[in-house]
Amino acid sequence: MGTSAMSDGNPGIFRADASRPPDSKPSSRYADPAAHKRSTSGNPNARSTNSSFEERRTERHQVTTRETLISRTRSPPRRNAAPEKSTTADGLKQWAPEPRVPSQDKPTPSPWEPAATLLPHTTAPLACRISIPPLASSAPQSVQPTALHELSLEAQEAVIIEDLLFVFMGYEGQYIRFAKGYDPFEERDRLSGPAWRILPGLDPSLQDLTQSMLRMATHHTALETFVDVQGRDEFGSINHALCASIRKLLHEYLVMIAQLETQFLTDDAFTLHVLNVHVLPTSHMMFQLYALAHELLKRNALLDDETDESSDSNDDFDHILEQLREGGELVPGNMTGKKICKGGVVLGLLTKRLESMSGDPAARALLTSLLRDASRPYMTMLNEWLHHGAINDPHSEFLIKEQRSIRRERLQQDYTDEYWERRYTVRDHDIPPQLEGVKDKVLLAGKYLNVVRECGGVDVSLQVKDMPTSFDDNHFLDNVNNAYAHANESLMRLLLTAHALPARLQSLKHYFFLDPSDYFSYFLELGASELRKPVKAVNTAKLQSLLDLVLRQPGSIVSLDPFKEDVQVEMNEITLTKSLQRVVNITGIEHGETLQPLASNQPLESDKNANGFTSLQLDYAVPFPVSLVISRKTVWRYQALFRYLLSLRYLESQLSTTWQTHTGGFVWAHKSSIRNLEIWKRRVWTLRARMLVFVQQLLYFCTAEVIEPNWQSLMARLRSREDAAPDGTPSGSTTTGVTRTVDQLMQDHVDFLDTCLKECMLTNSKLLRIHSKLMQTCTVFATYTNWLSRELEKADPDLSGATQPPNMTADQWRHFQSIRTQRPTTTTTTTTDTSATATATSAAAAAAAAAGDASQEAADARIAELFDVMRKWETNFSRHLQILLDALNHYAATETVVLLSLCARLSTANQGTEYAGLRSEEDGVV
C-alpha cells in the first residue's frame, strides 16, 4: 500500500519517466530541479534520498525499462488519452503492453541514425578525413531537447556548460547551434569560422557569458580548417611548418577542454563563470592565431574580401617554363593562377605582426614561437645554400631562384653570360625582413660555392657545426658573413692560383692591346698580301697559320705565353663604327641629340670596300671558371679596342710608307725649276706630317695615357686582393683581410674596359663621326700617294721631257730614265668611297691627261689643279680636326677630364692654319 500510495501520490514523476523517449534523457533529467547534478561522476553526494524511495525507484526502473521498448511508437497526443492499465503482482500500475501489437494504421518511422564516413585524400597528409556531422536542425522532432524556459536556472547553467564543451570542439550542442546562413560543407564558411546561436529561453546573465565564450569556438573551427587547407602541398614547407606549430597548439587546446570536462563532471562548484575564467588566456591565444590565419587567407584570396595588392606572377611563369624544359607536362596543377603567399612572404608577415604586437607579452611569446617553428625549413634551405651551394626548394619559396636549364656550356655562344647573371637570381618580393640587408651576400655565397664545386677546387662537403636554426639565433648574421667570406675566399683562391687569372689578363693585354707589338708587326708583314684582299676573299686559315708561326717565333715575349693556343683569327665584315653604334646609345654635344642604335632585327650592311686590314680581329677562348671574369661581353670590349688600335697602327704604317716615298722617291727629291711645284710639294709634306702627328699622338694617348694607367690600376686591385687572401684560410672563419670580392673583381674588369672605351672616344656618337671623317681623309691621302707622284712627274717639265734638264746630273738622268722604263704602262689605283676629294682628283687627272705636257700653258693648268686638290685636302683635314678639338674640350669639361691632354697634343697638328681656334656653331656641324 505504501508503494501504491507513493505511486498515486506522485503520478507526474511516473508519468514523465514512463512516457519520454530515450533520446531525450538529458531533457527529462534537467526537467527535475534536482536532476542537474553530475551523478555519473561518481560523486557520493550527487543525490540524497531515503531507502524506501530507492526501493520503489528500483521497481519503477524495471517498469520503465519495459516501457522503453514501446515508447517510440507512442504518439504525443495519446499521452492525454486514458490508457489501459494493468496491475503487476506487486500491485504497481503499468501501461498495458498494447504497443507490442504493431499498428496497422500508422507505419513505424525509421530511426535517425547519422553515420561518419571517410573523405577522399588531399595533398594535405594531416588533414581531417572524417565527414562533417549533419546539422542539428535536420534532426527529427523526437530527439529535440526540452525548451530552455522550462528548465530552472541551475539546470540551464548545467546544460549550457555541457553544450559549450561540445561547441569548443566544433560540434553543435543541444541548445547552442550554428547560426542560419552557415554551411559547414562550404570550405570558405569554415575558414571564416561559424557563427553560433543559442536557442531562446536562456537567462540573460548566462547568455552574455555564453556569447563571450562562443568567439573562441568560432576561432577553433576556423583554425582547424586553416591547418587543413594550408597544409596542402602547393602552399610550401614554410606554411606546413606553421600549420604544424598551430596544430600543436590546437592539441593543447583539446587537452584543456578534456580537463574542463573532468572538472565539470566532478566538481559541483564548477559554474559558467568559472569556465569563462579558465578559457580567457586560451581565448586570447586563439584570437591571435585566428587573426594571423585570416591575414594569410586574405593574401591567398581564399576569403571573400580578397586583397587588393597586385601579385607578381613572373616566378610562376618561370616555374612553369622550368618544368616544361625538364620534361614536365602542362597540366592544370602546374599552372598557378595567382601567386600563393608562401616562403619568405609568410615569414615577413609573421615578423610584421610580431613587431606590431610587441606590447602584448602573451601575443609576443606566441608569435615568437610560431616564427621560430615556421622558419626552421627556411633556415635549413639557407644553410644548405650558404655552406654547400645547393638549393633544395621544391615549392619555389627560397629567396634564391635557380634556373637549371641555363648551363655553363653556353658561355661560348651566349653574349649575356646567363650562367652567372640569370641562373641564380633573387626573388625581390619574397625576401624575409631578416635577410633584406644581407641578400646580396647570401646570393654571392652560394654562387661562389657552385663554381668551386663544379671545378673541384675546394671540398664543400664539409659539415659545418652549430648552424642556426631560426632567425632569432644570436649567430644568425655571423653565419651568413662567415659563409660569404669562406665562399669568396675559396673562389678567389681558385681563380688566382689554380686558373692563373693574372696571367690570363696579361695574355689578353699582349694580344689585344698590342703590348708588345713586335710579333704583330711581323704578322702584318707576313700576311700583307692576304690582308690587302677584299674581306670575302681573305683566307682565314692561312692567317691563323701565320699567326701561330709568329707566336712560336723564338725570342718573342709571347712565345713563352702558355695561353697562345687560345688566340684565334677572325674577320668581321662590319665596320668598327657601326658595331659600336649597334650596342651603345650615346648622346651628342647638343642637348637632346641622340644617336639611336640600329634595330636588332635590321641586318648591318658590310663595308663594300672593307679589306683584311680593316676587318681583322682576334678572338680568345677562355675556360670555365675564368670565363666568369673574362666573359663574352668583356671579350667584345677587348675586340673593339683591338680593332681601334689596329686601325691607328695600319694608318700610321700607311703614312710612314708615304713619308718613305716622299723622302726616297726621285720625283719628290728632285728640285724642280718651277717654283710653284716646290711650294706644292712642301704643302704635301706638311699635310702628311700633320696627319702623321695626329695619328701618332692619338695612338700614344690611347696606349700610354688611357690603357696603361687603367691597366696598372686594375692590376693593383688584383694584387691587393691576392695579398689579402692568404692560403690556408679555415673554412667558415671570418676573414678580416677580405677587401675585394669576386663580383667586385668582375666589376673592376668591366669598369676598366668601359673606361678605356670611353676615354678612347669609342662611346660617343659625335666623336665617332668626327674621328671617322679624319681617319677617312688620312686614308685617302695615303692611298693616293702614287697618283700624286705620277701627277707631279707629268706637271714637272724637267721630268716629263725627253731631254736632260740643266739642274740634273748625267747620273741622275740615267737613273731616272731607268726607273721610267721599268714602270708599268698601266697602273690600277685603289678607289675609295664617293667623296669630294676623289671627284676632284679624278677631274684633275682627266684635265692633266687631256692637256698633255707639250706646252707651258698645259703645265700651269695641271699645277693649278694640283693646288686645288691639295687645298681641298687641307681644308677637309684642318676643319674636322678643329671640330674634334672643340668637341674634346666640351667633353673634357663635362665628362672626362683626361681628354684635355689629348686636346693639347692634337692642337699642335692644327697650328698655323686658318681653322686654328674655336669654331662657330655652323662650322661645328659635321
Side-chain angles (χ1 to χ4, degrees):
M1 294 297 295
T3 306
S4 301
M6 189 66 183
S7 174
D8 295 335
N10 297 278
I13 297 179
F14 288 92
R15 201 166 286 116
D17 286 340
S19 62
R20 64 169 177 80
D23 292 329
S24 58
K25 184 183 297 182
S27 302
S28 59
R29 183 185 66 181
Y30 297 131
D32 186 0
H36 76 280
K37 298 295 184 180
R38 273 76 78 183
S39 58
T40 57
S41 62
N43 188 359
N45 298 324
R47 188 176 296 249
S48 58
T49 57
N50 52 26
S51 58
S52 62
F53 180 80
E54 291 179 358
E55 182 179 358
R56 289 192 300 270
R57 182 181 182 278
T58 301
E59 295 175 359
R60 187 180 58 196
H61 176 71
Q62 294 176 355
V63 174
T64 302
T65 303
R66 293 175 60 188
E67 292 298 328
T68 300
L69 297 175
I70 63 176
S71 62
R72 303 179 75 105
T73 61
R74 190 178 299 275
S75 174
R78 295 180 59 187
R79 291 183 180 181
N80 298 329
E84 297 182 1
K85 296 183 181 180
S86 61
T87 306
T88 63
D90 298 331
L92 293 177
K93 293 182 181 181
Q94 62 177 9
W95 299 108
E98 61 183 33
R100 291 181 182 270
V101 180
S103 176
Q104 300 297 330
D105 298 334
K106 297 182 180 179
T108 304
S110 59
W112 187 56
E113 298 178 352
T117 59
L118 285 179
L119 300 176
H121 286 281
T122 64
T123 56
L126 299 181
C128 180
R129 296 187 58 206
I130 302 176
S131 62
I132 300 173
L135 296 176
S137 57
S138 63
Q141 185 66 28
S142 59
V143 297
Q144 296 297 332
T146 305
L148 283 173
H149 63 83
E150 298 180 6
L151 303 179
S152 64
L153 182 62
E154 187 178 7
Q156 285 185 1
E157 184 176 17
V159 295
I160 288 299
I161 293 177
E162 187 176 8
D163 272 11
L164 281 175
L165 294 176
F166 283 98
V167 169
F168 286 161
M169 295 184 292
Y171 303 105
E172 287 183 291
Q174 297 186 87
Y175 301 98
I176 303 178
R177 301 179 181 181
F178 294 137
K180 295 181 179 179
Y182 172 75
D183 185 4
F185 299 95
E186 182 68 31
E187 183 180 274
R188 182 164 297 184
D189 287 354
R190 298 201 310 272
L191 287 172
S192 300
W196 302 90
R197 64 184 178 90
I198 305 174
L199 295 184
L202 184 63
D203 185 84
S205 61
L206 300 179
Q207 186 165 359
D208 291 341
L209 274 178
T210 304
Q211 289 287 359
S212 64
M213 287 185 284
L214 287 178
R215 286 193 296 268
M216 186 176 71
T218 300
H219 299 161
H220 173 263
T221 303
L223 290 173
E224 287 281 359
T225 311
F226 170 79
V227 296
D228 286 350
V229 172
Q230 294 288 114
R232 295 170 185 167
D233 181 71
E234 62 267 20
F235 287 94
S237 58
I238 308 303
N239 276 318
H240 297 168
L242 177 63
C243 290
S245 182
I246 295 177
R247 191 177 283 110
K248 181 175 62 176
L249 296 174
L250 293 179
H251 176 72
E252 296 176 357
Y253 169 85
L254 293 179
V255 171
M256 181 203 70
I257 299 300
Q259 293 172 349
L260 290 175
E261 183 181 17
T262 302
Q263 192 172 359
F264 166 67
L265 296 175
T266 58
D267 188 3
D268 290 338
F270 189 82
T271 61
L272 194 62
H273 179 73
V274 174
L275 176 63
N276 183 49
V277 172
H278 281 298
V279 301
L280 276 178
T282 306
S283 178
H284 180 66
M285 177 197 73
M286 299 295 285
F287 171 74
Q288 294 296 334
L289 293 176
Y290 177 78
L292 173 64
H294 194 75
E295 189 166 357
L296 282 172
L297 294 173
K298 287 176 60 179
R299 294 289 186 92
N300 289 324
L302 295 177
L303 298 177
D304 290 332
D305 48 347
E306 297 182 4
T307 179
D308 294 334
E309 298 179 2
S310 60
S311 61
D312 185 10
S313 59
N314 292 333
D315 290 344
D316 295 330
F317 296 148
D318 293 341
H319 184 62
I320 294 172
L321 293 177
E322 190 72 23
Q323 287 183 339
L324 293 177
R325 293 190 187 103
E326 295 177 357
E329 297 181 357
L330 196 60
V331 297
N334 294 335
M335 301 173 62
T336 307
K338 187 176 180 63
K339 186 176 180 181
I340 298 177
C341 179
K342 59 184 179 180
V345 180
V346 177
L347 298 179
L349 192 147
L350 278 170
T351 305
K352 183 178 179 181
R353 288 196 61 84
L354 181 58
E355 294 174 354
S356 61
M357 295 293 176
S358 58
D360 188 344
R364 185 174 66 250
L366 173 65
L367 293 172
T368 301
S369 176
L370 291 177
L371 179 61
R372 184 183 298 111
D373 293 339
S375 62
R376 292 185 188 279
Y378 201 93
M379 289 299 298
T380 301
M381 290 187 287
L382 178 63
N383 291 324
E384 185 72 15
W385 170 254
L386 288 176
H387 299 289
H388 300 93
I391 294 181
N392 184 14
D393 184 19
H395 303 289
S396 302
E397 51 189 343
F398 190 49
L399 82 156
I400 306 299
K401 178 174 62 175
E402 178 184 13
Q403 295 191 22
R404 300 179 185 272
S405 59
I406 301 178
R407 305 295 180 184
R408 64 184 178 94
E409 290 79 10
R410 298 178 57 188
L411 286 178
Q412 298 299 327
Q413 296 84 20
D414 189 8
Y415 275 78
T416 59
D417 297 340
E418 288 188 343
Y419 179 80
W420 189 256
E421 295 183 359
R422 292 188 57 196
R423 172 159 181 160
Y424 298 106
T425 54
V426 177
R427 293 185 173 97
D428 294 325
H429 302 287
D430 297 341
I431 304 175
Q434 294 84 353
L435 293 174
E436 186 66 39
V438 292
K439 62 180 180 180
D440 294 331
K441 289 186 177 181
V442 172
L443 173 65
L444 295 180
K447 288 171 66 174
Y448 294 164
L449 284 182
N450 271 281
V451 176
V452 173
R453 182 179 57 188
E454 292 189 17
C455 299
V458 177
D459 184 12
V460 296
S461 62
L462 297 177
Q463 296 295 330
V464 181
K465 299 180 179 179
D466 299 330
M467 291 188 297
T469 58
S470 61
F471 289 128
D472 57 353
D473 195 302
N474 294 331
H475 303 289
F476 165 67
L477 291 179
D478 292 339
N479 178 55
V480 175
N481 293 328
N482 292 343
Y484 171 70
H486 167 61
N488 177 71
E489 196 68 34
S490 301
L491 182 55
M492 185 66 75
R493 189 183 300 111
L494 184 69
L495 291 174
L496 297 180
T497 58
H499 293 274
L501 177 61
R504 284 278 182 183
L505 295 176
Q506 191 67 41
S507 176
L508 286 170
K509 184 184 179 185
H510 287 330
Y511 301 124
F512 289 93
F513 296 157
L514 307 180
D515 178 35
S517 61
D518 55 345
Y519 77 94
F520 199 76
S521 300
Y522 186 34
F523 167 71
L524 292 180
E525 292 176 5
L526 292 178
S529 60
E530 194 71 26
L531 292 172
R532 289 193 186 100
K533 297 179 182 179
V535 61
K536 295 184 180 297
V538 175
N539 189 345
T540 308
K542 182 179 180 180
L543 292 177
Q544 182 65 46
S545 62
L546 291 176
L547 180 62
D548 294 338
L549 178 64
V550 170
L551 294 180
R552 289 167 175 79
Q553 188 73 21
S556 176
I557 295 179
V558 294
S559 63
L560 304 177
D561 185 10
F563 311 114
K564 55 180 176 288
E565 301 290 341
D566 298 331
V567 184
Q568 304 292 330
V569 175
E570 290 182 349
M571 286 292 158
N572 192 344
E573 300 181 8
I574 310 302
T575 62
L576 176 62
T577 303
K578 286 184 179 180
S579 63
L580 288 172
Q581 292 176 350
R582 185 180 184 181
V583 296
V584 294
N585 185 5
I586 310 127
T587 304
I589 295 178
E590 293 80 7
H591 178 70
E593 180 182 351
T594 304
L595 178 65
Q596 298 296 335
L598 297 176
S600 58
N601 55 358
Q602 179 182 358
L604 291 175
E605 297 182 0
S606 58
D607 190 358
K608 297 180 180 179
N609 298 321
N611 56 16
F613 282 105
T614 60
S615 301
L616 176 65
Q617 76 177 18
L618 299 179
D619 195 13
Y620 196 85
V622 186
F624 186 84
V626 185
S627 56
L628 296 176
V629 180
I630 309 174
S631 61
R632 295 307 306 171
K633 290 188 296 185
T634 58
V635 169
W636 184 90
R637 290 172 169 85
Y638 276 109
Q639 290 174 340
L641 289 169
F642 168 78
R643 294 186 67 186
Y644 179 63
L645 294 178
L646 177 61
S647 65
L648 293 178
R649 294 272 186 181
Y650 178 59
L651 182 57
E652 183 188 18
S653 65
Q654 287 182 302
L655 292 175
S656 298
T657 303
T658 302
W659 173 80
Q660 292 177 355
T661 302
H662 290 172
T663 56
F666 182 80
V667 177
W668 295 93
H670 170 68
K671 186 175 182 181
S672 177
S673 58
I674 301 178
R675 186 171 181 273
N676 285 338
L677 278 180
E678 291 298 314
I679 295 175
W680 181 83
K681 286 194 291 186
R682 287 183 176 87
R683 292 180 64 175
V684 173
W685 294 339
T686 303
L687 181 59
R688 181 254 307 155
R690 291 173 60 201
M691 289 181 176
L692 192 58
V693 167
F694 164 74
V695 174
Q696 289 178 340
Q697 291 295 336
L698 191 58
L699 185 61
Y700 175 83
F701 170 78
C702 292
T703 55
E705 296 192 14
V706 174
I707 295 178
E708 190 62 28
N710 287 291
W711 172 265
Q712 294 299 331
S713 177
L714 175 64
M715 289 295 104
R717 292 193 187 96
L718 189 61
R719 284 192 297 269
S720 64
R721 182 63 193 87
E722 190 174 2
D723 296 339
D727 293 339
T729 304
S731 174
S733 63
T734 303
T735 307
T736 57
V738 173
T739 57
R740 312 295 297 173
T741 65
V742 177
D743 266 62
Q744 288 174 338
L745 173 61
M746 296 166 60
Q747 189 61 43
D748 288 341
H749 188 218
V750 174
D751 291 344
F752 156 71
L753 295 172
D754 288 344
T755 303
C756 292
L757 288 172
K758 183 178 182 180
E759 294 182 355
C760 289
M761 303 175 294
L762 300 181
T763 59
N764 189 292
S765 62
K766 177 72 72 174
L767 295 179
L768 275 175
R769 285 182 291 175
I770 300 172
H771 180 268
S772 177
K773 290 289 184 181
L774 286 169
M775 296 287 287
Q776 182 181 357
T777 302
C778 296
T779 302
V780 169
F781 176 80
T783 303
Y784 277 85
T785 297
N786 294 332
W787 179 85
L788 289 177
S789 299
R790 291 193 301 270
E791 292 299 316
L792 176 61
E793 180 181 348
K794 294 176 182 180
D796 193 348
D798 297 341
L799 303 178
S800 59
T803 60
Q804 177 182 350
N807 57 352
M808 186 181 299
T809 63
D811 295 337
Q812 292 176 342
W813 176 250
R814 284 193 301 271
H815 177 67
F816 175 71
Q817 290 296 328
S818 63
I819 294 176
R820 187 160 55 181
T821 55
Q822 294 175 0
R823 185 179 303 158
T825 56
T826 58
T827 305
T828 303
T829 60
T830 305
T831 60
T832 62
D833 56 348
T834 305
S835 60
T837 304
T839 304
T841 53
S842 300
D853 54 351
S855 61
Q856 185 66 32
E857 291 81 5
D860 293 339
R862 188 181 297 274
I863 293 174
E865 292 292 339
L866 290 177
F867 270 99
D868 184 60
V869 170
M870 185 54 55
R871 182 174 61 256
K872 291 181 179 180
W873 268 338
E874 290 174 341
T875 301
N876 195 26
F877 178 77
S878 300
R879 180 170 176 268
H880 285 96
L881 180 58
Q882 191 58 45
I883 294 174
L884 177 63
L885 292 175
D886 296 342
L888 290 177
N889 278 295
H890 172 79
Y891 289 112
T894 58
E895 295 182 7
T896 310
V897 68
V898 73
L899 296 178
L900 286 175
S901 174
L902 181 61
C903 290
R905 294 180 181 278
L906 296 183
S907 61
T908 58
N910 219 25
Q911 288 181 354
T913 64
E914 58 178 338
Y915 287 95
L918 296 176
R919 299 288 93 209
S920 59
E921 292 185 0
E922 56 272 12
D923 291 336
V925 179
V926 180

